[in-house]
Amino acid sequence: MGLLSRIDSMNQPGPGLLAKAELLGKKNSNFSEWASEKGFALCGIFSCCKSFYYFSHAYGFDLESLARSVSTGDFWKGLVSDNSTWCHYTNNDLLPFMQLFSDNIKSLISDINIFPFAIDNQTYYFISCDNLTEEQLQSLDIKYDLVNFILNPEKTPDCDSFDDALNLGLSVSPASLFIITPKLALDSAFKDFEEELRNLIAQTAMNILYSKLKSLFQAPNCIYPAKNNEIKIVMFGKEEIDDKLLQFHINSHFNVFFNNQNPHNILVLIAGMCPNLKGTKMFLTQD
C-alpha cells in the first residue's frame, strides 16, 4: 500500500441471556474486531432468512464462500445438534460442510467447530474453522457475544466523533472526497439469489470490506459506511491524490477476498474536494 503509506506520512437464550445482550448492545459491536481479539482465523455466524441459512457475520472468508454459504435449514438440522454445545468435525466428517466454502478456503480447513445457539426459538450456528482442542473450545465464553451480534447489529459511526481528525487533516490540505463501491462485483457474485437474501449477503460482504478498509485509512483520513453498497472516504495530502492509483492499491489489498486480481472489483469515484469541516461531514452523511 505505497500510496496510502505516503499519504499517511504527509499528515502528521432465556430472558436472562437476552437482557444481558441488550446491555451489551450499548457498545458498537464489530464482529471482525471481536473475532480477531478472540484469536479466530476463520469464523462466522449462520443466520436464517426464510428457509435458508447464510453468513450474516463472517471473518476470514472470501466472497465466493459468502455466496456458497447459502444452505437449507434441513442441511443444518441433519448435521448439527441444537443443544448449545460445541460440535467438532474433522477428516471425513468435514465433507458435507465443504460445499459452503470456496476451493481456496477449503485448502485451509482441517477442523470445523460449530456452536448452535437459539434466540426466540430460532437457531443460529457459529462456525469456527480453526484447529482448537476440546479444552480450548470449552473455555470459550462466547454465547452472550453471539446473541449480542444478532440482537444489536453494528451501528453507523457518529460522524461528530471524526471532528478532531477532520480538523487536523484540514489544517494540512482541503479534504479529497471519494466514494468506493464493489456493487458490480457483489451483484455478480449473488445474482442467483432472490432480492432479500441477496441484499443480506451483500451487507455481510460490505461489513467485511469496511472493517478491513478502516485499517488502511488512518486518522486524519476518515472512512464512513454509506448506503447502496458504498463507502465514503475522506483523505488529506500535500500532493494530489491519484484516484486510479488509489483504486489499484485498494483492489490489490482485496485480491484474496475476491479470488482474483481484477482492478475493477472495487471502483473509486471522485466526489470533489472540500475546504471546511461542515461540508466534509455533509458529504459523509448525505445519502
Side-chain angles (χ1 to χ4, degrees), residues 180-198:
I180 71 170
T181 176
K183 186 177 185 305
L184 295 178
L186 300 189
D187 286 348
S188 176
F190 307 140
K191 65 180 183 300
D192 293 332
F193 305 122
E194 59 90 21
E195 184 178 9
E196 182 179 5
L197 186 56
R198 183 170 65 246

Side-chain angles (χ1 to χ4, degrees), residues 82-143:
D82 290 345
N83 59 2
S84 293
T85 59
W86 282 102
C87 303
H88 176 75
Y89 306 85
T90 191
N91 299 322
N92 290 338
D93 291 338
L94 295 174
L95 295 179
F97 296 100
M98 287 304 182
Q99 64 182 288
L100 304 175
F101 312 114
S102 70
D103 289 343
N104 286 350
I105 295 297
K106 288 178 190 177
S107 68
L108 303 176
I109 296 176
S110 61
D111 296 79
I112 289 178
N113 310 289
I114 298 176
F115 184 82
F117 62 101
I119 302 174
D120 293 337
N121 297 317
Q122 175 63 61
T123 302
Y124 300 79
Y125 300 93
F126 173 78
I127 184 169
S128 161
C129 299
D130 299 274
N131 186 2
L132 300 172
T133 66
E134 179 70 18
E135 183 179 6
Q136 289 172 319
L137 288 173
Q138 297 307 323
S139 68
L140 288 172
D141 183 14
I142 62 173
K143 187 172 183 179

Side-chain angles (χ1 to χ4, degrees), residues 138-156:
Q138 297 307 323
S139 68
L140 288 172
D141 183 14
I142 62 173
K143 187 172 183 179
Y144 292 138
D145 293 337
L146 298 176
V147 171
N148 179 53
F149 287 125
I150 299 299
L151 296 183
N152 301 290
E154 186 172 352
K155 300 177 179 63
T156 301

Side-chain angles (χ1 to χ4, degrees), residues 197-235:
L197 186 56
R198 183 170 65 246
N199 291 339
L200 288 170
I201 310 175
Q203 186 57 57
T204 304
M206 291 302 298
N207 289 342
I208 293 172
L209 294 173
Y210 176 68
S211 183
K212 286 180 175 290
L213 282 167
K214 282 199 299 184
S215 67
L216 301 181
F217 294 90
Q218 301 296 321
N221 304 312
C222 294
I223 176 170
Y224 197 82
K227 296 181 179 179
N228 301 317
N229 295 335
E230 295 178 348
I231 295 173
K232 294 183 179 180
I233 296 176
V234 175
M235 301 183 69

Side-chain angles (χ1 to χ4, degrees), residues 2-16:
L3 176 63
L4 300 183
S5 298
R6 290 207 310 274
I7 292 171
D8 189 56
S9 66
M10 295 174 192
N11 318 320
Q12 293 304 327

